[in-house]
Amino acid sequence: MALASFMVPIGTPAPEFTLPAVDGTEVSLDSFKEPALLVVFLSNHCPYVRKIETELGAVAAELAERGLATVAICSNDTDNYPDDDAAHLRDQVRRAGFRFPYLIDESQEVARAYQAACTPDLFLYDGERRLAYRGRFDAATPGNDEPVDGSSLRDAVEHVLAGQPVPEPHTPSVGCGIKWKHGRTPGGWVTPRS
């Protein structure tokens, strides 16, 4: 069951986090000093993520040279979705060419704090770590032939790096719902099984 991202209000501060990365390091929000920060919730098994992951890695690497930091977070329940455990995420890093930290949110508290709903779910913050964009990477999904080019994210990053607001409306991301642990689904949220 595909879900759309919640449209968290623009200007919302980035919630703090300190999480382990798949390479064994520990990463926090304060680890990033760049003028723009992309926090993206991903998973290994989701076909929506698989569709864009290689281009996401390429776009993040390209825009890093201009001032974008990227961090990925997987918050899925690995007891019921073992393809999203640390070993499989390390495989994904190699497969997709990710050069950014990939963090594990085992408690799911970070996903709840960010109001992440799906994978992929993108949150772009400015230098003051205020939300500037939330929405899709581009128009590509497993069910269409749209180009996987990161056009929506690229446009948003251009605006943020220029100190300009990202023009609304932002198109929500669509993807596999985050796989919440039993009893952990935030109040009023749907628990999909995809």
Side-chain angles (χ1 to χ4, degrees):
M1 175 180 166
L3 287 183
S5 55
F6 297 118
M7 298 309 273
V8 176
I10 293 300
T12 300
E16 298 284 343
F17 61 81
T18 300
L19 293 171
V22 298
D23 67 2
T25 61
E26 191 171 81
V27 177
S28 68
L29 181 65
D30 292 337
S31 302
F32 304 99
K33 307 301 180 196
E34 291 83 352
L37 172 64
L38 174 65
V39 178
V40 56
F41 288 83
L42 297 177
S43 65
N44 174 53
H45 84 277
C46 175
Y48 291 85
V49 173
R50 291 271 180 126
K51 176 88 174 188
I52 69 163
E53 66 184 7
T54 301
E55 186 65 12
L56 173 63
V59 169
E62 173 192 330
L63 294 176
E65 298 176 10
R66 308 243 342 267
L68 175 70
T70 300
V71 60
I73 300 173
C74 183
S75 299
N76 278 358
D77 171 12
T78 58
D79 289 340
N80 289 308
Y81 296 88
D83 284 350
D84 291 330
D85 68 13
H88 288 91
L89 298 183
R90 284 190 289 273
D91 291 342
Q92 182 183 17
V93 166
R94 288 188 289 275
R95 180 181 72 236
F98 294 163
R99 298 184 202 165
F100 46 79
Y102 201 166
L103 313 183
I104 301 169
D105 176 25
E106 186 173 347
S107 74
Q108 302 185 315
E109 288 302 319
V110 175
R112 289 169 64 99
Y114 276 79
Q115 298 182 53
C118 57
T119 60
D121 208 349
L122 287 71
F123 299 84
L124 178 64
Y125 295 89
D126 63 19
E128 296 178 358
R129 299 304 178 245
R130 299 281 178 178
L131 187 63
Y133 173 78
R134 68 283 194 251
R136 68 185 187 181
F137 180 67
D138 57 28
T141 68
N144 68 31
D145 294 323
E146 294 290 330
V148 182
D149 58 11
S151 55
S152 299
L153 177 63
R154 286 176 185 277
D155 181 66
V157 171
E158 291 295 333
H159 282 85
V160 170
L161 292 177
Q164 302 169 347
V166 181
E168 296 265 16
H170 302 172
T171 303
S173 186
V174 174
C176 303
I178 288 181
K179 306 306 184 264
W180 300 101
K181 296 178 183 182
H182 180 71
R184 299 286 301 154
T185 305
W189 293 15
V190 176
T191 304
R193 294 287 177 193
S194 62

